[in-house]
C-alpha cells in the first residue's frame, strides 16, 4: 500500500474530479455501435449420446437411456413408485426404503431411486414381497414419527395415501409412547436403546419430543423427522455446502443434529432454509407457519402462490410467494428453475418482511 | 462489453468450466445462489482463484487466494498479461483474427514486470505467474467480478483490464469461457438495458448515434436531444454549480448510499425541489418536498427484471399495496397526464411491448414466451429465437462477423485517498450475507446472524493498536468520523480494515468514504478510504 503515497493530498471536501473522459473516436465507435451478430445461435457442446437400455418392468418391455435409475424408468412409463427421501434436486441417498422393487436374481429388494437400469433387467414393482416390505416400512415410520404433515413433494397427503394403498396399520404396535423431555434423546449414548419390555412393550416407541424453537426464522420439530437425510444433503454438497447438520447417534437414537448439538444460532447454520425447502414431513418449518398453525390460523385453502423474482441481488432467483390474507406466509423456489434448482439464501427465503410493513415505515399506508 | 453491457456466460457454464477467477467478489455472501453453481463447478474439478484484498468466505473455497492491495487490480491484470505473453501462451490465432490494438496493449503491459507488480499489489510473483499460466492454458476459463472491481475511481479501466485478459487468451465467446459482472441488485442489468443510463435509450440505443436514436424517435414520434445526459456524479457537480435545481428520485436512497454523506446531504438540501418516490420513508425521502408512496416492484406490481445472465424474468403481483401506495408505472403515467399527455391505461405488458419495438435484442420476448420458457436471455431477435446462452460467439468465427474486439490498454492508478502517517490504514467496504446495502430492505427481518456494524480488523493490527474484540473505537477519515465496535477477522491483512453500509442509522460509514468518482461510469470509490483508528477514553461510570 505504500504506492498510494505518491498521490497529492486531496482537498478536504469536494472530492476528486479529473478532466472529463473523452473516448478516442475509433473506440467510441466500437462501444456505441451494435457489435454484430453471430452467424449461428450459440449452443453448449453436444452431450455424448447415451445408448438405450431395454429392461422388463412389471412384464412390460421398456427402453430408457443408459444410466437411468429404475425410478426414472418407472416414472417415464407412468408406473407409480412411492418415495419419501428422493428429490429431483438432490443426490439419492436411498435410506427410506419405501421405493423398493424386486429385481429378478437379486437376493434383497433394490431401492428404485438409486439402482441403475441394466440390459435385460426384470423388475417387479407390485409383487407381494414389494408390497409387504413397503407396508412394514410405512408402519415403522408412521408408528414412531408424527407423519400428519408428510408428503414427498407439494406437502400433505401422499404419505397418508401410501398408508392406505399398502394397507399399513401403524397402530398394530400399540399406542404411541409419550414424548421425551427436551434434550433427552440427544443425551442417549451408543447402545442406549434396547428392545422394550414390561409396560414399555405395550406401546410403540416414538421420537416424540418438544419442538426446537431457537431463532426467529424457522423451527425444528423432530417428532416429525423420518431421517430421510434430505436436509443434510441440501445443507451439504448438494446445494448449500455449509454442513451445519448431520445425522448423529445410531439406530433408534439416530437424529439430525448440529455440531455438538448446539442451538442453531451457535451453529454453522446460515439460515438459507434449503433444509425446509426439501423436508417432506413438516419437521422443518418457517416459524411464521409454525406460529400460525399453533394459533389455528394456518389455512392452505385460503392461500395463493405467485411466482416472482427475489428483490435482492442480481442473481434473479425465482420465488414462489405463498400468500394468505394479503400477507406472505412462506417462500419457496421451484425445483425446475435453472437459476435456483429450488434453493435460496437467507434474504430470498426470509427477507420479505420489509414489504409487509404496513405501519408508519411505509408512506401511504 | 464490446458494445453490449452484459455478462457473457450463463450460470450453468460455471458448473462446466475448468477455471474460475473470482475477482473483487465475495459471491459466497453477496450472490449465494450463483455461488451454488460455482461450487458445482469446483466439485466437477474447476480450479478457483480468488483475487480479493480480504480472505473472504468465497476465498476459503479457492485453490489460490491472491490477496492484493486495495486498488491495485490493473497492475495485477497487466502483470498477468505480461507473464502470459512472455510464456508464449497468448492466443495469437484469436488475437489476429478477432481483435484490434494488440501491439499497443503488449507495449503497455511490458512495463509491468514481476518485481513492479509484486511491489504495487503485494501479491507474490509466483502466485501471479501461476494464475497467468493456469488461465491461459485452461480449456475453458471465466472471470467473474463484483463491486471490488467497480467501486473505484477508475472502475471502467479495471473492467477493461479484465476484458483485455480474455482477449489475450481467447477466453470469451465460448461455452464455459467468459466475462461476468455479478449484478448487485435484481434489476441493475435490466435498468441499464432499459436505458437508465445517461448515454443510452432503451435497448442499447446510444443517444449520440444518429441511426439508433432515430429508431426511438420514429416509434415515439418525437425528437430526442442528441447529447448524453448526466450520471449521478455529474448531477452532484451540477448541483454545486447551480445548474441542477430539481430532482426526482425513484427507489434510491442517496443520503445513505452515496459516499461522503455530509456533502451529499448538503447538495440535496440545496435543491429548490426534490421528489422522492419510494416504498419507504427513507432518509432521503425525509428531506424531500414531495413523497410519492410506491408499490413494491417485486411483489405488488407486474413487470420484468433482468438478471446477471441476461435472463429477462417476470415479476408478478402477489400482494395488494398498502393504502395510497401506487405502482411506479401508474405514477409516471399520471404525471404525464397532469402535464397534458394522455398515454392511456398504464400497463406493464404494454410498456414492455413498446420496448420490443425499439430494442432488437428484446424483440422476440413476448410475455407469453417469457412465461413459457421461464425467462429468456437476450439477445432474442424474433419470436422463434430461443435467446442466447453466451455472448460474442461471433468472435470465435472465421471470419469474424461485425466489429473486431479492441484491446484497450490501461495503466495502474492507485486509490485517490492516499495513505499517510495521519491516515495509515486502508478501509474497504462490502456486504454481509444476511444484510443488503443500506439495510432498508434487509432490516425488516430478524436474522439470527446479524450483529450490527463493526470495524473488522486483523488480529495483528488489533495487537498493534491495543484493541480488544468488542471495544468501541473512533474511526477517522479526511471527511468524517464514526464510533464503532471492533471485531477481529483473521481474513484481513495488517493495514486493512472493513466495514459495511448496512447499518447507516447506527453507524454512518459513508461519513468516512469519499466521492472520488470514475469519470467514465460515475461510480464512487467506496472500496478505498484512508483512515486512522483512535482509542476512546474509558467511559465514565454512570
Amino acid at each position: 500500500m505504500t504506492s498510494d503515497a505518491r498521490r497529492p493530498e486531496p482537498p478536504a471536501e469536494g472530492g476528486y474530479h479529473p478532466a472529463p473522459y473523452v473516448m478516442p473516436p475509433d473506440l467510441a465507435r466500437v462501444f456505441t455501435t451494435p457489435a454484430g451478430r453471430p452467424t449461428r445461435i450459440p449452443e453448449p457442446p453436444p452431450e455424448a449420446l447415451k445408448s438405450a437400455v431395454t429392461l422388463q418392468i412389471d412384464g412390460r418391455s421398456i427402453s430408457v437411456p443408459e444410466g437411468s435409475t429404475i425410478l426414472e424408468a418407472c416414472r417415464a412409463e407412468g408406473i407409480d413408485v412411492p418415495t419419501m427421501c428422493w428429490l429431483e434436486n438432490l443426490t439419492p441417498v436411498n435410506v427410506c426404503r419405501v421405493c423398493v422393487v424386486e429385481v429378478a436374481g437379486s437376493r434383497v429388494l433394490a431401492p428404485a431411486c438409486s439402482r441403475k437400469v441394466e440390459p435385460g433387467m426384470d423388475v417387479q414393482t407390485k409383487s407381494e414381497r414389494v408390497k409387504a416390505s413397503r407396508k412394514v416400512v410405512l408402519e415403522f415410520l408412521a408408528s414412531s414419527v408424527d407423519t400428519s404433515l408428510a408428503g414427498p413433494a407439494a406437502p400433505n397427503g401422499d404419505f397418508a395415501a401410501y398408508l392406505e394403498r399398502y394397507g399399513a396399520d401403524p397402530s398394530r404396535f400399540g399406542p404411541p409412547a409419550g414424548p421425551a423431555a427436551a434434550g433427552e434423546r440427544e443425551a442417549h449414548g451408543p447402545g442406549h436403546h434396547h428392545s422394550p419390555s414390561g409396560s414399555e412393550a405395550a406401546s410403540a416407541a416414538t421420537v416424540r419430543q418438544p419442538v426446537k424453537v431457537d431463532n426467529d426464522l424457522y423451527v425444528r420439530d423432530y417428532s416429525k423427522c423420518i431421517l430421510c437425510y434430505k436436509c443434510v444433503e441440501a445443507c451439504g454438497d448438494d446445494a448449500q455446502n455449509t454442513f451445519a447438520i448431520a445425522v448423529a447417534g445410531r439406530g433408534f437414537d439416530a437424529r439430525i443434529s448440529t455440531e455438538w448439538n448446539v442451538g442453531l444460532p451457535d451453529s454453522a447454520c446460515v439460515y438459507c432454509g434449503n433444509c425446509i425447502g426439501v423436508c417432506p414431513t413438516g419437521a422443518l418449518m418457517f416459524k411464521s407457519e409454525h406460529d400460525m398453525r399453533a394459533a389455528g390460523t394456518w389455512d392452505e385453502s385460503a392461500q395463493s402462490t405467485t411466482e416472482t423474482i427475489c428483490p435482492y441481488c442480481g442473481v434473479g432467483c425465482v420465488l414462489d410467494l405463498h400468500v394468505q390474507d394479503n400477507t406472505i406466509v412462506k417462500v419457496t423456489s421451484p425445483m425446475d428453475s435453472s437459476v435456483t434448482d429450488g434453493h435460496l439464501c437467507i434474504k430470498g427465503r426470509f427477507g420479505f418482511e420489509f414489504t409487509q410493513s404496513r405501519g408508519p415505515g411505509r408512506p401511504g399506508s | 462489453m464490446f458494445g453490449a453491457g452484459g455478462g457473457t456466460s450463463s450460470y450453468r457454464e460455471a458448473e462446466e468450466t475448468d477455471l474460475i477467477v473470482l475477482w473483487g467478489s465475495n459471491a459466497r455472501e453477496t450472490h449465494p445462489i450463483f455461488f451454488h453453481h460455482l461450487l458445482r463447478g469446483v466439485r466437477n474439478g474447476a480450479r478457483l482463484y480468488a483475487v480479493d484484498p480480504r480472505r473472504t468466505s468465497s476465498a476459503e473455497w479457492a485453490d489460490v487466494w491472491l490477496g492484493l492491495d486495495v486498488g491495485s487490480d490493473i497492475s495485477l491484470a497487466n502483470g498477468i498479461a505480461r507473464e502470459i505473453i512472455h510464456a508464449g501462451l497468448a492466443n495469437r490465432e484469436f488475437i489476429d483474427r478477432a481483435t484490434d490494438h494488440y501491439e499497443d496493449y503488449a507495449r503497455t503491459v511490458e512495463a509491468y514486470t514481476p518485481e513492479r507488480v509484486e511491489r504495487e499489489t503485494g501479491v507474490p510473483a509466483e502466485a501471479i505467474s501461476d494464475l497467468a499460466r493456469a488461465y491461459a492454458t485452461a480449456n475453458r476459463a471465466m472471470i467473474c467480478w463484483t463491486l471490488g472491481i467497480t467501486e473505484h475511481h477508475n472502475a471502467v479501466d479495471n473492467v477493461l483490464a479484465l476484458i483485455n485478459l480474455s482477449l489475450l487468451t481467447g477466453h470469451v465467446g465460448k461455452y464455459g469461457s467468459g466475462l461476468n459482472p455479478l449484478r448487485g441488485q435484481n434489476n441493475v442489468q435490466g435498468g441499464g438495458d432499459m436505458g437508465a443510463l445517461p448515454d443510452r435509450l432503451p435497448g442499447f440505443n446510444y443517444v449520440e448515434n444518429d441511426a439508433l436514436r432515430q429508431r426511438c424517435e420514429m416509434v415515439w414520434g418525437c425528437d430526442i436531444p442528441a447529447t448524453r445526459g448526466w450520471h449521478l456524479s455529474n448531477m452532484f457537480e451540477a448541483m454545486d454549480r447551480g445548474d441542477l435545481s430539481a430532482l426526482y428520485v425513484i427507489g434510491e436512497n442517496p443520503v445513505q448510499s452515496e459516499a461522503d454523506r455530509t456533502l451529499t446531504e448538503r447538495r440535496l438540501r440545496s435543491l429548490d425541489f426534490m421528489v422522492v418516490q419510494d416504498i419507504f420513508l427513507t432518509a432521503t425521502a425525509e428531506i424531500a418536498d414531495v413523497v410519492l408512496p410506491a408499490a413494491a416492484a417485486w411483489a405488488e406490481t407486474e413487470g420484468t427484471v433482468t438478471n446477471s445472465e441476461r435472463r429477462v424474468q417476470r415479476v408478478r403481483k402477489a400482494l395488494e399495496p398498502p393504502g395510497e401506495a401506487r405502482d411506479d408505472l401508474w405514477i409516471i403515467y399520471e404525471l404525464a397526464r397532469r402535464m397534458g399527455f394522455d398515454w392511456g391505461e398504464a400497463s406493464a405488458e404494454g410498456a414492455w411491448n413498446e420496448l420490443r419495438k425499439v430494442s432488437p435484442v428484446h424483440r422476440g420476448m413476448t410475455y407469453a414466451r417469457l412465461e413459457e420458457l421461464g425467462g429468456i436471455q437476450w439477445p432474442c431477435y424474433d419470436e422463434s429465437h430461443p435467446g442466447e446462452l453466451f455472448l460474442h460467439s461471433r468472435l470465435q468465427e472465421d471470419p469474424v462477423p461485425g466489429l473486431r474486439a479492441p484491446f484497450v490498454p490501461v495503466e495502474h492508478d492507485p486509490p485517490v485517498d492516499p495513505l499517510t502517517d495521519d491516515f495509515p490504514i486502508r478501509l474497504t467496504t462490502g456486504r454481509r450475507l444476511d444484510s443488503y446495502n443500506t439495510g432498508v430492505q434487509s432490516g425488516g427481518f430478524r436474522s439470527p446472524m446479524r450483529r450490527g456494524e463493526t470495524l473488522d480488523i486483523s488480529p495483528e493490527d488489533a495487537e498493534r493498536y491495543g484493541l480488544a474484540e468488542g471495544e468501541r473505537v473512533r474511526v477517522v477519515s479526511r471527511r468524517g468520523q464514526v464510533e464503532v465496535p471492533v471485531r477481529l477477522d483473521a481474513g484481513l491483512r495488517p493495514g486493512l480494515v472493513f466495514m459495511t453500509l448496512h447499518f447507516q442509522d447506527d453507524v454512518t460509514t459513508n461519513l468516512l468514504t469519499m466521492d472520488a468518482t470514475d469519470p467514465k461510469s460515475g461510480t464512487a470509490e467506496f472500496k478505498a478510504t484512508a483512515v486512522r483508528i483512535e482509542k476512546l477514553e474509558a467511559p465514565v461510570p454512570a
Side-chain angles (χ1 to χ4, degrees), chain B residues 179-241:
Chain B
L179 293 158
N180 298 294
L182 304 174
R183 303 312 197 138
Q185 296 165 345
N186 78 344
N187 201 28
V188 167
Q189 181 68 50
D193 299 351
M194 295 306 118
L197 292 168
D199 60 344
R200 251 163 273 187
L201 295 162
F204 303 110
N205 289 309
Y206 290 84
V207 72
E208 291 169 359
N209 177 315
D210 291 341
L212 298 179
R213 187 183 64 257
Q214 283 157 7
R215 183 191 275 162
C216 295
E217 289 175 336
M218 277 167 58
V219 172
W220 293 336
C222 65
D223 291 335
I224 298 167
T227 49
R228 68 180 63 200
W230 289 325
H231 55 56
L232 185 54
S233 304
N234 296 148
M235 289 188 216
F236 283 139
E237 289 160 20
M239 289 175 207
D240 291 344
R241 293 192 308 269

Side-chain angles (χ1 to χ4, degrees), chain A residues 324-344:
Chain A
Q324 180 179 331
D325 297 333
N326 208 37
T327 302
I328 300 169
V329 293
K330 184 164 80 171
V331 177
T332 57
S333 183
M335 278 182 289
D336 62 356
S337 161
S338 67
V339 174
T340 67
D341 296 298
H343 303 300
L344 296 170

